[in-house]
Coordinates of all heavy atoms in Angstrom, one line a residue:
V1 N -2.7 -13.9 6.8 CA -4.1 -13.8 7.2 C -4.3 -13.1 8.5 O -5.4 -12.7 8.8 CB -4.7 -15.3 7.3 CG1 -4.8 -15.8 5.9 CG2 -3.9 -16.2 8.2
I2 N -3.3 -13.1 9.4 CA -3.4 -12.4 10.7 C -2.0 -11.6 10.9 O -1.0 -12.1 10.6 CB -3.6 -13.3 11.8 CG1 -5.0 -13.9 11.8 CG2 -3.4 -12.6 13.2 CD1 -5.3 -15.0 12.8
G3 N -2.1 -10.4 11.4 CA -1.0 -9.6 11.8 C -1.3 -8.9 13.1 O -2.3 -8.2 13.2
V4 N -0.4 -9.1 14.1 CA -0.6 -8.4 15.4 C 0.8 -7.8 15.7 O 1.8 -8.5 15.7 CB -1.1 -9.3 16.5 CG1 -0.9 -8.7 17.8 CG2 -2.5 -9.8 16.2
V5 N 0.8 -6.5 16.1 CA 2.0 -5.9 16.6 C 1.6 -5.1 17.9 O 0.7 -4.3 17.9 CB 2.6 -4.8 15.6 CG1 3.7 -4.0 16.2 CG2 3.1 -5.5 14.3
Y6 N 2.2 -5.5 19.0 CA 2.0 -4.9 20.2 C 3.2 -4.0 20.7 O 4.2 -4.5 21.0 CB 1.7 -5.9 21.3 CG 1.4 -5.3 22.7 CD1 0.4 -4.4 22.9 CD2 2.2 -5.6 23.8 CE1 0.1 -3.8 24.1 CE2 2.0 -5.0 25.0 CZ 0.9 -4.1 25.2 OH 0.7 -3.5 26.4
E7 N 3.0 -2.7 20.6 CA 4.0 -1.8 21.1 C 3.9 -1.7 22.6 O 2.9 -1.2 23.1 CB 3.9 -0.4 20.4 CG 5.2 0.4 20.4 CD 5.7 0.8 21.7 OE1 4.9 1.4 22.5 OE2 6.9 0.6 22.0
V8 N 4.9 -2.1 23.3 CA 4.9 -2.3 24.7 C 4.7 -1.0 25.5 O 3.9 -0.9 26.4 CB 6.1 -3.1 25.2 CG1 6.1 -3.2 26.7 CG2 6.2 -4.4 24.5
N9 N 5.5 0.0 25.2 CA 5.5 1.2 26.0 C 4.3 2.1 25.9 O 3.9 2.7 26.9 CB 6.8 2.0 25.6 CG 8.1 1.3 25.8 OD1 8.6 1.3 26.9 ND2 8.5 0.6 24.8
L10 N 3.7 2.1 24.7 CA 2.5 2.9 24.5 C 1.2 2.1 24.8 O 0.1 2.6 24.7 CB 2.4 3.5 23.1 CG 3.5 4.5 22.8 CD1 3.4 4.9 21.3 CD2 3.4 5.7 23.7
D11 N 1.4 0.8 25.0 CA 0.3 -0.1 25.3 C -0.7 0.0 24.1 O -1.9 0.1 24.2 CB -0.5 0.2 26.6 CG -1.5 -0.8 26.9 OD1 -1.4 -2.0 26.5 OD2 -2.5 -0.5 27.6
E12 N -0.1 -0.1 22.9 CA -0.9 -0.1 21.6 C -0.8 -1.4 20.9 O 0.2 -1.9 20.6 CB -0.4 1.0 20.7 CG -0.7 2.4 21.2 CD -0.4 3.5 20.2 OE1 0.6 3.3 19.4 OE2 -1.1 4.5 20.1
C13 N -2.0 -2.0 20.7 CA -2.1 -3.3 20.1 C -2.7 -3.1 18.7 O -3.9 -2.8 18.6 CB -2.9 -4.3 20.9 SG -2.7 -6.0 20.3
F14 N -1.9 -3.3 17.7 CA -2.3 -3.2 16.3 C -2.7 -4.6 15.8 O -2.0 -5.6 16.0 CB -1.2 -2.7 15.4 CG -0.8 -1.3 15.8 CD1 0.2 -1.0 16.8 CD2 -1.4 -0.2 15.1 CE1 0.5 0.3 17.1 CE2 -1.0 1.1 15.5 CZ 0.0 1.3 16.5
R15 N -3.9 -4.7 15.1 CA -4.4 -6.0 14.7 C -5.0 -5.9 13.3 O -5.7 -5.0 13.0 CB -5.4 -6.5 15.7 CG -6.0 -7.9 15.4 CD -7.1 -8.2 16.5 NE -8.2 -7.3 16.4 CZ -9.2 -7.4 15.5 NH1 -9.3 -8.4 14.7 NH2 -10.2 -6.5 15.6
A16 N -4.7 -6.9 12.5 CA -5.3 -6.9 11.1 C -5.6 -8.4 10.8 O -4.9 -9.3 11.2 CB -4.3 -6.4 10.1
V17 N -6.7 -8.5 10.0 CA -7.1 -9.8 9.5 C -7.3 -9.7 8.0 O -7.8 -8.6 7.5 CB -8.4 -10.3 10.1 CG1 -8.9 -11.6 9.6 CG2 -8.3 -10.3 11.6
R18 N -6.9 -10.7 7.2 CA -7.1 -10.6 5.8 C -8.6 -10.3 5.4 O -9.5 -10.9 5.8 CB -6.8 -12.0 5.2 CG -7.0 -12.1 3.7 CD -6.7 -13.5 3.2 NE -7.5 -14.5 3.8 CZ -7.3 -15.8 3.7 NH1 -6.4 -16.3 2.9 NH2 -8.2 -16.7 4.3
G19 N -8.7 -9.2 4.7 CA -10.0 -8.8 4.3 C -10.9 -8.1 5.3 O -12.0 -7.8 5.1
G20 N -10.3 -7.9 6.5 CA -11.1 -7.5 7.7 C -10.7 -6.1 8.2 O -11.2 -5.7 9.2
G21 N -9.8 -5.5 7.6 CA -9.3 -4.2 8.0 C -8.2 -4.2 9.1 O -7.8 -5.3 9.5
A22 N -7.8 -3.0 9.6 CA -6.7 -2.9 10.5 C -7.2 -2.0 11.7 O -8.0 -1.1 11.5 CB -5.5 -2.3 9.9
F23 N -6.7 -2.3 12.9 CA -7.2 -1.7 14.1 C -6.0 -1.4 15.0 O -5.0 -2.1 15.0 CB -8.2 -2.5 14.8 CG -9.3 -3.0 14.0 CD1 -9.2 -4.1 13.1 CD2 -10.5 -2.3 14.0 CE1 -10.3 -4.5 12.3 CE2 -11.6 -2.6 13.2 CZ -11.5 -3.8 12.3
C24 N -6.2 -0.3 15.9 CA -5.3 -0.1 17.0 C -6.1 0.0 18.2 O -7.0 0.9 18.3 CB -4.5 1.2 16.7 SG -3.4 1.7 18.1
N25 N -5.8 -0.9 19.2 CA -6.7 -0.9 20.4 C -8.2 -1.0 20.0 O -9.0 -0.3 20.6 CB -6.4 0.2 21.3 CG -5.0 0.0 22.0 OD1 -4.4 -1.0 21.9 ND2 -4.5 1.1 22.6
E26 N -8.4 -1.7 18.9 CA -9.8 -2.0 18.4 C -10.5 -0.8 17.8 O -11.7 -0.8 17.4 CB -10.7 -2.6 19.5 CG -10.2 -3.9 20.0 CD -9.8 -4.9 18.8 OE1 -10.7 -5.0 17.9 OE2 -8.7 -5.4 18.8
E27 N -9.7 0.3 17.6 CA -10.2 1.4 16.8 C -9.7 1.3 15.3 O -8.5 1.0 15.1 CB -9.8 2.8 17.3 CG -10.4 3.1 18.7 CD -12.0 3.3 18.6 OE1 -12.4 3.8 17.6 OE2 -12.6 2.9 19.6
P28 N -10.6 1.4 14.3 CA -10.1 1.3 12.9 C -9.0 2.3 12.6 O -9.0 3.4 13.1 CB -11.3 1.6 12.1 CG -12.5 1.3 13.0 CD -12.0 1.7 14.4
I29 N -8.0 1.9 11.8 CA -6.9 2.8 11.4 C -6.8 2.7 9.9 O -7.2 1.8 9.2 CB -5.6 2.4 12.0 CG1 -5.2 0.9 11.7 CG2 -5.6 2.6 13.5 CD1 -3.8 0.5 12.1
R30 N -6.4 3.8 9.3 CA -6.1 4.0 7.9 C -4.8 4.7 7.6 O -4.3 5.4 8.5 CB -7.2 4.8 7.2 CG -8.6 4.2 7.2 CD -8.7 3.1 6.2 NE -8.5 3.5 4.8 CZ -8.5 2.7 3.8 NH1 -8.6 1.4 4.0 NH2 -8.4 3.2 2.6
V31 N -4.2 4.4 6.5 CA -3.0 5.1 6.1 C -3.3 6.5 5.9 O -4.5 6.9 5.8 CB -2.4 4.4 4.8 CG1 -1.9 3.0 5.1 CG2 -3.4 4.5 3.7
S32 N -2.3 7.3 5.8 CA -2.4 8.8 5.6 C -2.9 9.1 4.2 O -2.9 8.3 3.3 CB -1.1 9.5 5.9 OG -0.2 9.3 4.7
G33 N -3.4 10.4 4.1 CA -3.8 10.8 2.8 C -2.8 11.8 2.1 O -3.1 12.4 1.2
T34 N -1.6 11.8 2.6 CA -0.5 12.6 2.1 C -0.3 12.3 0.6 O -0.1 11.2 0.2 CB 0.8 12.4 2.8 OG1 0.5 12.7 4.2 CG2 1.9 13.3 2.3
P35 N -0.5 13.3 -0.3 CA -0.5 13.0 -1.7 C 0.9 12.9 -2.4 O 1.0 12.3 -3.5 CB -1.3 14.2 -2.3 CG -1.0 15.3 -1.4 CD -0.8 14.7 0.0

């Protein structure tokens, strides 16, 4: 229901909530479109 990964050196905090999307430093993120 919750996932948080904080990469220390880049100061990037990734956050996700079940059904609520995923974010990096509170900006929405999406997987790539590589086909």
Side-chain angles (χ1 to χ4, degrees):
V1 292
I2 291 175
V4 170
V5 173
Y6 179 58
E7 204 293 313
V8 175
N9 299 274
L10 294 176
D11 189 26
E12 289 187 327
C13 191
F14 298 86
R15 182 182 62 84
V17 180
R18 177 183 60 188
F23 305 85
C24 176
N25 290 348
E26 297 312 310
E27 292 294 325
I29 56 174
R30 293 287 296 177
V31 294
S32 74
T34 304

